[in-house]
């Protein structure tokens, strides 16, 4: 085993190596054989709906639960047999690891500093630094229960950074945050990786988030990884965006269908007068506009939006993502809900829209 | 939040990819420090939640006043005689009942995710539980002090000696420590903190009443006397009375210690198993 060797070449040791991880809860199989390798200094995204096994994977890797089968090494140390050392290297934040609401922001960080072996003045100093970094200095002496959702999330993240971890687990870090807080969180993650060389493993239900942050993504379904690769590779595989065109007059429908088919290279779906197709090339939109214009077709509506996780799922698995959540509803990790704040990701969308979970932001 | 200069490893020029994570186990001194820090955390919570202070200070005082002045005359003929009889019992009853707070606090930590955060830290595995119990013991000793203080004002006197009085408090706290494994088990099993108290009022509350805490055993029907006599709460009340105001000590103390061992050996493994299932 790597940990037992006298010479450890640090730069070649991956942050995470998981091999055949299995975790069962009674009848439910939360992890059905997961293999992962995450190189140090990268961001790895676990993407999937509720109950797909993402959180269970994080809990195993963060030493909170033991796998029923398989092994996992963090920085070369086994999560089962060398868990204390693993805990010295990691930070955990998100849905299921939380701050003490009865304590102030400052006391929360002070407590963790003391637990990690800092002296009282050192722990105070560290708490002050982190509170300042995360713009919480003004609220340092207020109980965390009075914090807003975004502030609490920042305190949560600060708490997981007290020990200067080399590997950070972020379990759905932006679920329930407003767009501004979400963008802030993204900036922090980029900074941690880019400036400080931290490795980040994040779970998310949002394709856009994984796309924005992750170097590599593993898509979870039924406790298995069903697809893995860079965001670009996955997009090529599934069609990352959906182009939808509605002609102003119904008589132009056939012409629109044939134009979209010609540009995209596949038969589009037609719902009423709405013609939609998954596209991988952003140039498809201007191409369709140009051709329809040349043909003298008046367009009533044209949109290019990100594929939702549901659509990626459908493309990868052939079944909608919602079935997963229902199937794994009894899983303990799926049973407790996250903080119930305004979900900015869905509040701006129609609930009936399959894209509702993912903001249709334009990407670079 | 432009760049997190302070947030992470000091200097990127001297950055280690995987710094030496140190020893594989937590030493005993370190464990004590973790327990102390987590006990501090549970006590400092009181500062931000004064209602809790009222809960564990005013409630026992209310009981003492009500029982002494409302029932005392009827039960013992005079309020001062009753105070001598009831105060040691009240101390026992209140201390045992407040062990449930351990379960409530534990369940809050579990449901809110604080427990997961603590378990992801490189600290002694036992520290979160031990810290919680230590803090709860401190609160119980505080409540005992308050009860004795008000008792003194009302006319209660320790008739034995300071050593016996300390032994009485020690015995009550020791048994509470053993009994708190019941609360730990309940805290592991229920889905929300409030349910711990529901359990307490339906099981622990009657259990402390079916004893000689408030009235002499001889005044009860025969079948109930049988229950009262085996109830460890009775033995604990007897031993505490003996140590505070005189009377038999050895026999009830022995009984209490055996029960303490039984409670720990039954409920500690159950609680640990419930915990493993929960996470």
């Amino acid at each position: 085993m790597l940990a037992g060797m006298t010479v450890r070449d640090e730069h070649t040791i991956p942050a995470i190596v998981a091999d055949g991880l299995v975790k069962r809860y009674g009848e439910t199989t939360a992890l059905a054989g997961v293999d992962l390798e995450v190189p140090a200094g990268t961001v790895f995204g676990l993407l999937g709906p509720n109950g797909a096994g993402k959180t269970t994977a994080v809990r195993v890797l963060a030493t909170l639960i033991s796998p029923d089968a398989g092994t996992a090494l963090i920085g070369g140390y086994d999560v089962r047999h060398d868990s204390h050392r693993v805990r010295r290297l990691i930070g955990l934040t998100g849905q299921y690891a939380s701050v003490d609401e009865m304590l102030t922001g400052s006391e929360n960080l002070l407590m963790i500093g003391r637990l990690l072996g800092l002296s009282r003045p050192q722990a105070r100093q560290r708490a002050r630094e982190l509170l300042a970094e995360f713009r919480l200095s003004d609220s340092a002496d207020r109980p965390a229960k009075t914090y807003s959702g975004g502030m609490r999330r920042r305190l949560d993240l600060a708490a997981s950074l007290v020990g200067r971890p080399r590997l950070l687990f972020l379990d759905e870090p932006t679920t329930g945050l407003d767009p501004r807080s979400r963008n802030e969180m993204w900036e922090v993650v980029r900074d941690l990786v880019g400036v400080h060389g931290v490795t980040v493993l994040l779970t998310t239900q949002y394709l856009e988030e994984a796309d924005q942050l992750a170097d590599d993504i593993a898509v979870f379904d039924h406790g298995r990884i069903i697809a893995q690769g860079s965001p670009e590779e996955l997009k090529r595989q599934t069609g990352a965006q959906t182009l939808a065109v509605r002609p102003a007059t119904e008589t132009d429908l056939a012409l629109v269908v044939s134009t979209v088919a010609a540009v995209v290279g596949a038969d589009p779906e037609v719902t009423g007068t709405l013609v939609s197709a998954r596209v991988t090339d952003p140039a498809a939109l201007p191409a369709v506009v140009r051709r329809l214009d040349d043909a003298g077709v008046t367009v009533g509506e044209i949109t290019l939006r990100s594929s939702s996780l549901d659509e990626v799922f459908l493309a990868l698995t052939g079944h909608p993502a919602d079935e997963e959540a229902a199937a794994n509803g009894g899983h303990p990790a799926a049973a407790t809900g996250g903080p119930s704040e305004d979900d900015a990701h869905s509040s701006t969308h129609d609930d009936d829209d399959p894209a509702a979970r993912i903001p249709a932001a334009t990407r670079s | 939040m432009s760049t997190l200069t302070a947030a992470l490893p000091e200097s990127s020029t001297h950055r280690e990819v995987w710094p030496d994570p140190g020893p594989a186990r937590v030493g005993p001194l370190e464990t004590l420090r973790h327990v102390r820090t987590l006990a501090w955390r549970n006590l400092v919570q009181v500062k931000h939640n004064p209602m809790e202070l009222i809960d564990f200070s005013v409630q026992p005082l209310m009981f003492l006043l009500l029982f002494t002045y409302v029932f005392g005359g009827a039960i013992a003929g005079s309020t001062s005689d009753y105070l001598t009889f009831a105060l040691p019992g009240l101390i026992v009853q209140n201390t045992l009942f407040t062990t449930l707070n351990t379960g409530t606090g534990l369940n809050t930590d579990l449901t809110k995710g604080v427990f997961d955060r603590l378990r992801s830290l490189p600290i002694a595995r036992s520290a979160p539980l031990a810290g919680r119990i230590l803090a709860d013991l401190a609160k119980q000793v505080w409540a005992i002090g308050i009860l004795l203080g008000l008792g003194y004002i009302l006319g209660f006197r320790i008739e034995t000696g300071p050593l016996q009085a300390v032994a009485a408090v020690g015995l009550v706290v020791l048994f509470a420590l053993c009994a708190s494994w019941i609360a730990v088990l309940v805290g592991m099993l229920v889905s929300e903190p409030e349910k711990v108290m529901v359990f307490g009022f339906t099981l622990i509350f009657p259990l402390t009443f079916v004893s000689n805490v408030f009235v002499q055993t001889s005044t009860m029907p025969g079948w109930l006397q049988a229950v009262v006599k085996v109830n460890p709460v009775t033995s604990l009340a007897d031993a505490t009375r003996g140590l505070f105001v005189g009377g038999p000590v050895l026999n009830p103390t022995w009984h209490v210690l055996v029960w303490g061992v039984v409670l720990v050996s039954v409920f500690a493994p159950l609680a640990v198993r419930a915990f493993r299932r929960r996470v």
Side-chain angles (χ1 to χ4, degrees):
Chain A
M1 199 179 300
L2 282 169
M5 287 162 54
T6 40
V7 178
R8 285 161 45 91
D9 183 0
E10 293 191 345
H11 297 275
T12 59
I13 297 175
I16 301 171
V17 182
D19 188 15
L21 291 180
V22 174
K23 183 72 190 176
R24 290 183 206 92
Y25 289 99
E27 296 287 291
T28 315
T29 302
L31 294 179
V34 168
D35 302 325
L36 272 180
E37 178 155 342
V38 179
T42 64
V43 181
F44 196 91
L46 303 185
L47 182 67
N50 270 331
K54 310 182 301 283
T55 296
T56 307
V58 168
R59 291 175 71 81
V60 168
L61 296 172
T63 76
L64 294 183
I65 51 176
S66 276
D68 295 324
T71 56
L73 303 180
I74 303 295
Y77 295 101
D78 189 299
V79 292
R80 215 189 316 216
H81 306 298
D82 231 340
S83 51
H84 188 64
R85 287 196 171 114
V86 168
R87 290 182 200 115
R88 287 206 172 275
L89 299 172
I90 63 169
L92 172 65
T93 196
Q95 273 183 300
Y96 303 107
S98 187
V99 294
D100 186 339
E101 295 181 355
M102 303 300 289
L103 299 189
T104 65
S106 174
E107 285 164 350
N108 263 292
L109 300 183
L110 187 63
M111 170 184 82
I112 292 178
R114 293 288 283 152
L115 287 174
L116 293 175
L118 300 183
S119 70
R120 210 170 306 234
Q122 281 174 329
R124 281 225 175 80
Q125 171 64 21
R126 184 87 184 118
R128 258 198 307 274
E129 284 167 12
L130 285 162
L131 288 165
E133 291 288 354
F134 288 94
R135 295 188 292 106
L136 292 167
S137 298
D138 293 342
S139 328
D141 297 323
R142 270 176 28 208
K145 65 181 170 197
T146 66
Y147 284 18
S148 72
M151 287 165 73
R152 204 175 302 199
R153 209 62 73 93
R154 295 206 298 274
L155 180 61
D156 224 333
L157 186 56
S160 64
L161 295 178
V162 174
R164 304 177 197 270
R166 298 303 306 161
L167 168 62
L168 186 63
F169 295 103
L170 298 173
D171 193 12
E172 305 211 357
T174 63
T175 301
L177 290 188
D178 59 62
R180 184 168 155 265
S181 307
R182 189 193 61 210
N183 286 334
E184 268 180 13
M185 194 60 87
W186 288 356
E187 277 311 305
V188 172
V189 173
R190 290 193 186 105
D191 219 52
L192 288 172
V193 180
V195 181
H196 302 281
V198 174
T199 309
V200 173
L201 181 90
L202 71 93
T203 76
T204 181
Q205 300 189 42
Y206 307 124
L207 185 64
E208 193 202 1
E209 183 159 276
D211 191 12
Q212 286 279 341
L213 296 175
D215 299 299
D216 274 296
I217 298 174
V219 181
F220 265 64
D221 182 33
H222 281 124
R224 284 176 204 284
I225 294 173
I226 54 165
Q228 190 173 340
S230 68
E232 284 64 37
E233 283 164 353
L234 285 181
K235 273 187 262 176
R236 268 200 299 280
Q237 208 174 328
T238 59
Q241 291 177 307
T242 301
L243 175 71
V245 191
R246 194 194 298 279
T249 51
E250 210 176 327
T251 46
D252 288 333
L253 186 60
L255 196 53
V256 169
V257 170
S258 62
T259 308
V260 171
V263 171
V264 176
D267 282 339
E269 284 171 40
V270 182
T271 321
T273 57
L274 187 71
V275 180
S276 57
R278 262 202 289 274
V279 297
T280 46
D281 183 3
L285 176 67
V288 168
V289 169
R290 206 179 314 114
R291 290 201 190 188
L292 290 176
D293 194 37
D294 290 347
V297 173
T298 314
V299 173
E301 179 190 337
I302 185 160
T303 56
L304 181 66
R305 60 172 174 80
S306 312
S307 289
S308 65
L309 179 59
D310 289 337
E311 287 164 323
V312 169
F313 246 80
L314 204 56
L316 287 170
T317 65
H319 67 86
D322 283 343
E323 285 173 16
E324 316 303 310
N328 281 353
H331 177 244
T336 27
S340 54
E341 291 138 23
D342 286 343
D343 190 338
H345 290 284
S346 63
S347 60
T348 52
H349 292 270
D350 185 346
D351 278 347
D352 293 328
D353 180 358
R357 290 201 200 163
I358 293 175
T362 49
R363 56 189 83 230
S364 51
Chain B
M1 260 186 297
S2 50
T3 51
L4 293 164
T5 42
L8 274 163
E10 293 94 350
S11 144
S12 46
T13 53
H14 205 70
R15 183 203 298 158
E16 284 181 289
V17 181
W18 301 112
D20 178 13
R25 301 256 172 272
V26 190
L29 274 179
E30 250 187 307
T31 302
L32 283 180
R33 217 191 52 230
H34 298 154
V35 173
R36 202 185 57 195
T37 301
L38 288 166
W40 166 82
R41 169 231 162 186
N42 288 308
L43 289 175
V44 89
Q45 282 182 340
V46 180
K47 198 172 77 183
H48 306 295
N49 189 13
M51 281 306 288
E52 204 192 327
L53 190 69
I54 292 173
D55 196 39
F56 66 77
S57 306
V58 176
Q59 203 170 287
L61 295 186
M62 200 78 88
F63 259 72
L64 180 59
L65 289 171
L66 288 177
F67 270 89
T68 307
Y69 290 109
V70 178
F71 301 118
I75 296 172
S78 83
T79 51
S80 66
D81 282 353
Y82 188 65
L83 186 65
T84 306
F85 176 78
L87 182 58
L90 257 170
I91 287 174
V92 168
Q93 196 267 344
N94 184 66
T95 309
L96 290 182
F97 192 66
T98 49
T99 59
L100 285 166
N101 291 338
T102 305
T104 310
L106 210 56
N107 190 271
T108 307
D109 282 355
L110 280 167
T111 48
K112 299 255 177 185
V114 177
F115 217 71
D116 279 348
R117 155 90 66 213
L118 295 177
R119 293 198 313 121
S120 77
L121 295 174
I123 60 172
R125 300 291 83 192
S126 57
L129 182 59
R132 154 92 41 210
I133 290 178
L134 186 63
D136 286 339
L137 284 185
K139 291 178 193 172
Q140 283 155 0
V141 171
W142 162 265
I144 291 174
I146 279 194
L147 277 170
L148 284 174
L150 182 67
Y152 187 84
I153 294 169
L154 302 181
F156 179 82
R157 293 293 176 270
I158 293 169
E159 285 157 22
T160 47
L163 266 182
Q164 285 93 325
V166 170
V169 175
L171 187 68
V172 171
V173 167
L174 181 70
F175 186 76
L177 193 68
C178 300
S180 58
W181 280 105
I182 301 173
V184 172
L185 174 65
V186 176
M188 294 293 173
L189 290 176
V190 297
S191 55
E192 48 195 286
E194 291 72 25
K195 290 190 179 153
V196 176
M197 278 301 157
V198 174
F199 169 86
F201 275 107
T202 50
L203 209 77
I204 301 293
F205 206 63
L207 199 71
T208 54
F209 267 76
V210 182
S211 70
N212 69 356
V213 160
F214 297 109
V215 293
Q216 298 281 7
T217 316
S218 55
T219 61
M220 297 177 214
W223 60 271
L224 194 59
Q225 287 193 22
V227 180
V228 169
K229 278 175 186 159
V230 290
N231 189 348
V233 180
T234 301
S235 310
L236 185 57
D238 278 340
T240 313
R241 274 190 203 108
L243 287 164
F244 273 135
V245 294
V249 171
L250 212 60
N251 237 1
T253 303
W254 188 236
H255 199 184
V256 167
L257 294 178
V258 170
W259 265 104
V261 171
V262 169
L263 289 182
V264 172
S265 40
V266 171
F267 287 99
L270 286 176
V272 170
R273 202 179 64 158
F275 172 70
R276 293 238 166 88
R277 287 202 176 169
R278 173 139 192 168
V279 294

